[in-house]
Structures are given as structure tokens and as C-alpha cells.
Amino acid sequence: MDDSQIDAYLTRIGVVRPVRPDIEALRDLQQAHLLSVPFENLSIHLGEPIVLDEGSLLDKIVDHRRGGFCYELNGAFAALLTALGYPVRLLSARVFDGDRAGPPFDHLALRVDLDEPWLVDVGFGKFSRHPLRMEADGDQHDPGGVFRIVRDNRHGDVDVILDGTPEYRLDPRPYELSDFVPTCWWQQTSPQSHFTRSLTCSRMTESGRVTLSGAKLIHTIDGERREQLLDGDAEVLDAYRKHFGISLDRVPTVAASA
């Protein structure tokens, strides 16, 4: 990324360039990203290819002011952090379904090494607002909940637990963005992927979250959930613009075959 791309990205998330790559600035960057860039899978239902390279991710998220899912959001954020001087590693994670961990590369998360290693994730939907200490024992209190990082001494994997529930299992080895391409392709094409079977656009807010799932608009404010069923395509398109800054020509719909 060159200076103009860095400035455009920082403008996209509404922060000024950090003076130095430290943990205080990292907290601000993560929180600003979560407040500005939605977690969404609209491309899958609009017939738009998802391409995992830096140029394509910046074009989508920064230039066209869209969001994305984990490979896109954390992939782009890793590029920004690296350009700002942060040492970043891309980690593969297996997302839990109940007590069972999913396949490798099911999720992309970030490790940022400062005075100690930090877990950074802007691509998991409802998660931590701030970076998490990867080597801390005990509870870590965050506005998103109470987190624990549990290490498996047999294999070196790391389980991330939120409010007592396992979220995902991290492989501590670093990977390249290209390593996630096969699973990203599966996620956007397979009828068995929950991304092809559902439609979501969700963004953290100062008091909770706002989510648009199909024609259902959901506001969670201080823990209270409020649902509204939108009436027709015009209202849905307006909600994408109003709540997520996304301008679409048509409403995305889940394909019947998915």
C-alpha cells in the first residue's frame, strides 16, 4: 500500500494516521474498523466474485465502501496494519459448531506482535471490540463479553472462548493470504456453506449492533433486541444505504439452489 491508499483506508474508517504502531493505536484502529466496515456476504448473492488479493480487497472495502466476510475484512486490515508498521501474521482458525471445531482455514484471524502477541479480529461478526492478549491466563473483559484464551499444550492450538462458549480454534502457524483461497472459494460456492444459504449484513454500533438479514432489520441496543420487517425492495435498499453506507442497484437474494 502506498501513502495515498493508507490515507484513503484511514479516511474510510474515520481515524487519523497513528504516530507510532503501538497497542493504543491498534485498539483505536480495530474499534474504528468494526464501527465503519460491515460484516457482509452480499457479493455471494449478487454474483460478484470474491478475490483474495490486496488490490481487489482495497477496491471493494475502501474505494467502493463495502464490507465482506473474514477473509476480506481481516485480509484488508492486515494490509493496512502492515503498511502502518505493525508486525502481522495471518492465522487459520477452525470455527466451533457446538463442541466440534470445523475444518482448517474456516476463518482468518490476525496476530499482531508488539511487546506481547495480540489477537486482532475485525471479521467474525459479534466478537471483541479490542485486541486480546494471546498469552494471558484468565478472563479478559471486553465490551463484547468475557474472553479466555486457552492453549492446548499437546498440539499448540489456541481456543478462543467468549462468555464460556468456544468460538474458534487457532493454528499458531503463520500463513499467506493465498493459503485461504481454496476455502474462501468453497465458502462462496458450496450449497453446504452457511454463507450461500443465508444473507447478512451486520455492523457494530456504539451501543450494540445493527443487522440486516434479508428484509429483517435488527437493532440490538444495550442488550435489547428490536426487529423490523421491511416492506419491499425500496426499503431494503434504503436500509443498506442508511445503516451500512452500501449503495446497491438491486436487492441480493439467496438462490433457491443454495
Side-chain angles (χ1 to χ4, degrees), residues 40-173:
E40 51 108 330
N41 67 342
L42 306 183
S43 288
I44 294 172
H45 304 289
L46 291 168
E48 301 169 350
I50 296 172
V51 181
L52 294 189
D53 63 54
E54 183 176 304
S56 298
L57 297 181
L58 295 179
D59 178 69
K60 180 179 181 180
I61 293 171
V62 178
D63 297 339
H64 288 89
R65 303 186 68 81
R66 286 282 302 278
F69 58 176
C70 68
Y71 311 111
E72 301 171 279
L73 298 179
N74 282 323
F77 196 42
L80 174 64
L81 293 178
T82 300
L84 291 172
Y86 286 96
V88 182
R89 301 183 189 183
L90 276 60
L91 302 182
S92 164
R94 303 168 62 192
V95 178
F96 278 97
D97 182 6
D99 295 330
R100 181 179 180 182
F105 301 99
D106 198 25
H107 178 61
L108 165 61
L110 306 178
R111 169 176 168 154
V112 177
D113 289 301
L114 297 172
D115 57 327
E116 60 180 305
W118 296 86
L119 173 63
V120 173
D121 198 333
V122 297
F124 198 64
K126 184 182 183 296
F127 198 65
S128 68
R129 183 182 289 247
H130 302 138
L132 301 172
R133 287 183 164 90
M134 292 196 68
E135 295 183 350
D137 293 322
D139 293 343
Q140 298 188 55
H141 293 266
D142 180 271
V146 179
F147 290 83
R148 289 180 69 91
I149 306 295
V150 180
R151 291 176 293 280
D152 182 342
N153 293 325
R154 296 171 302 166
H155 305 293
D157 292 342
V158 176
D159 285 356
V160 181
I161 298 171
L162 168 59
D163 295 333
T165 301
E167 294 292 304
Y168 54 70
R169 176 168 293 163
L170 287 165
D171 176 349
R173 294 172 294 181

Side-chain angles (χ1 to χ4, degrees), residues 194-210:
H194 68 273
F195 288 111
T196 62
R197 293 183 281 112
S198 64
L199 183 64
T200 189
C201 185
S202 184
R203 180 179 58 80
M204 188 181 80
T205 66
E206 292 289 356
S207 58
R209 297 196 69 80
V210 57

Side-chain angles (χ1 to χ4, degrees), residues 200-203 209-213 216-220 244:
T200 189
C201 185
S202 184
R203 180 179 58 80
R209 297 196 69 80
V210 57
T211 300
L212 183 56
S213 179
K216 182 186 294 184
L217 182 63
I218 305 165
H219 289 277
T220 304
F244 308 101

